[in-house]
Every structure is written in structure tokens, then in C-alpha cells.
Amino acid sequence: MKLLRFGPEGQERTGILDADGNVRDLSGAVPVLAGAAVSLEALEAIRALDIAALPVVEAPGRIGSCLASVPNFWCIGLNYAKHAAESGLAVPEHPVVFNKATSCLSGPYDDVIIPRNSVKSDWEVELGVIIGKDTLYVSEEDALSHVAGYCTINDLSERTFQIERSGQWVKGKSAPTFGPIGPYFVTADEVPDPQALRVSLDLNGETVQDESTSDMIFTVAQIVSHLSQFMKLVPGDIISTGTPSGVGMGMKPQRFLKPGDVMEIEVHGLGRQRQTAVAAG
């Protein structure tokens, strides 16, 4: 299934794509697509519905973030071998874990706001993983059975805030609009192998990131298992699994976002995003 949210910001309704690619209004059954509503049990209840009987949305308009909110927004850094190399850093022995403030969520086509005092705002296409059940001390072998689905993420980053100031990476990862997710929440049954997906990002029409998730240092199963050794993952948690090479920080000379830049971001099979960078007011 491909689930989505459509409508003006703050007034989004839940939708589902039918077999012909039409958006059907699912909001009567799923008012808010978040948390327990994306648990494995809840998804089974959606599958039992007669999708063809739901109203067709003739003009969905704006597409919002594919989840209305998330309990936790976990992230994995330096998780592609070539990205670690371009960053001049050793391949990590264990997953590098950090988080984004959940208030950074935004729609896949919404403008990206370059924060005040930013000089190094950067792009990062990533595969997003959405958790579907309480997950604690899960084995690597069982980890994927705890995944509800996947989505496309642009893990935007302000490198000065992230790296050149003391403290945690979260400071450079959490500005409003720095977490576009979607357009679709694609259920796990449609992604037989999360390690065989093409991820790409075009900047102003130029492809700057283009890689396969097979280049990940730690697989999705390894990441989910690893995180669950330290905290309980819950339905609706999202995990951003790392970005491939081609970020602005790794270029020579370095290149960062400026107002008017257009990013097009895609994880194959999960939908394509498009954002324009604008200056903060």
C-alpha cells in the first residue's frame, strides 16, 4: 500500500493510492496517520477495507509529510562507505546514532527554509524506515518483521551548526522544514529488499547523489536491531538510514544551498520529492 496525507498545512487528510493511481480518501477510517495508526495491526485493518469503495479525491492539492507526527526521529550518520570517504572519516565500527527534532517534519514539495545565520545548509537523500511495533532487543534476523514501511527523506543539515559548534549534531539537523518525508508511506510488503534501492538527488537539474542502498555500511536490519539494544522503538518512529556521497560538504570546493536552489529527491519506488530553498524571514 501507498499511504499519504493531502491538503493545506495543518488540515491534511489521510489518503491511499488505488490500483489506478487515484488518491482515495481514507480519513474516515484513519483520521491521523501517525503512531498507533501505522502499527502492523492497524495496517492489516486498512488492507481489509474495500479501497474501491472509498471516495476518489479529484484534486488532492498539496501533499503533506507522509506521517502527521513521529514519536522519535532517529538518524544514522556516515552509513555509506563512499560518503564516509568523502567526509574524510573512517568507516564507523558501530552505527553513528543521532536524532532530529520532530518539529522539523515537512511535506515533500514544501519550501525548505534556510535558517537564520546559516552559511552551510546541505542536502542528504536518505531511505526512511517506519517502525510498526514495539521493538526492544530484537535480533538482526527478526528486525525487518518490525518494520511497517519506508519513505523518501531529505535529511537537511546545517554544517556550521552541526560540526563547528560544540554539542550534539541535532542542532544542525532540526530547523523547521529540515525533515521532508514522503510523498508516500510505502508498506514493507512493497519493498522486498531495502538494500536494493536506488537513491538520488538532483540540484538545479544536476545529479549530485546517485547510489544504491547496497553501499550502506549497516543494513536496515542491523540498524533496527542495534537501536533496539539501547531504547524501545515504538510504532510511528522513523529512522533515517544515512546518505550516500555527493553532499555539498564533500565537494571540492564545497557547495551549499542558496535561495532559489531546487532539490529533487528520490528513493526508487517510494516517490519523488521537490523542494525550493528560500531564506528565513
Side-chain angles (χ1 to χ4, degrees):
M1 298 186 294
K2 289 185 173 67
L3 306 174
L4 69 153
R5 297 171 62 250
F6 62 94
E9 186 174 359
Q11 303 175 43
E12 295 93 343
R13 298 169 68 87
T14 307
I16 185 170
L17 290 189
D18 67 16
D20 297 319
N22 299 308
V23 176
R24 300 274 181 164
D25 192 337
L26 187 61
S27 57
V30 186
V32 179
L33 191 63
V38 298
S39 69
L40 298 179
E41 294 82 2
L43 294 178
E44 285 304 314
I46 294 172
R47 287 190 180 92
L49 298 174
D50 181 3
I51 302 303
L54 298 174
V56 173
V57 182
E58 298 292 350
R62 172 184 173 273
I63 304 300
S65 58
C66 62
L67 296 174
S69 62
V70 295
N72 297 287
F73 200 146
W74 304 110
C75 303
I76 306 299
L78 300 174
N79 195 35
Y80 283 73
K82 294 173 188 174
H83 176 52
E86 75 173 350
S87 300
L89 298 169
V91 171
E93 183 179 353
H94 304 285
V96 176
V97 179
F98 63 96
N99 68 297
K100 295 170 82 80
T102 58
S103 58
C104 76
L105 285 185
S106 64
Y109 311 114
D110 294 344
D111 289 342
V112 163
I113 301 171
I114 299 173
R116 293 181 184 180
N117 304 312
S118 167
V119 293
K120 295 183 179 180
S121 286
D122 205 348
W123 54 84
E124 296 189 22
V125 59
E126 306 206 4
L127 168 65
V129 176
I130 299 164
I131 297 297
K133 64 188 293 187
D134 285 355
T135 303
L136 184 64
Y137 305 127
V138 71
S139 68
E140 184 180 327
E141 292 72 24
D142 292 336
L144 292 185
S145 68
H146 289 238
V147 172
Y150 300 91
C151 67
T152 300
I153 295 178
N154 188 0
D155 173 26
L156 289 137
S157 310
E158 212 297 332
R159 303 303 188 184
T160 303
F161 302 170
Q162 176 191 359
I163 298 170
E164 299 176 27
R165 296 187 180 181
S166 61
Q168 301 295 316
W169 284 8
V170 64
K171 294 192 302 184
K173 296 283 187 170
S174 299
T177 74
F178 266 33
I181 62 172
Y184 308 121
F185 163 29
V186 180
T187 52
D189 57 294
E190 293 200 17
V191 184
D193 184 0
Q195 304 311 138
L197 300 173
R198 178 173 173 260
V199 293
S200 65
L201 187 147
D202 295 349
L203 180 66
N204 301 326
E206 173 192 356
T207 299
V208 294
Q209 293 189 279
D210 190 0
E211 189 55 85
S212 166
T213 53
S214 62
D215 190 51
M216 281 185 181
I217 297 165
F218 303 102
T219 66
V220 171
Q222 289 172 322
I223 290 167
V224 172
S225 176
H226 178 81
L227 289 175
S228 78
Q229 307 309 307
F230 308 104
M231 69 278 289
K232 182 170 73 172
L233 307 177
V234 298
D237 274 0
I238 195 165
I239 305 169
S240 204
T241 56
T243 197
S245 60
V247 299
M249 180 179 65
M251 293 181 173
K252 294 181 175 57
Q254 292 183 331
R255 181 178 177 184
F256 298 107
L257 291 172
K258 61 184 185 300
D261 282 345
V262 176
M263 295 166 284
E264 295 182 86
I265 304 100
E266 185 173 18
V267 178
H268 184 73
L270 306 185
R272 189 171 179 88
Q273 303 182 353
R274 187 180 191 277
Q275 297 121 28
T276 300
V278 300

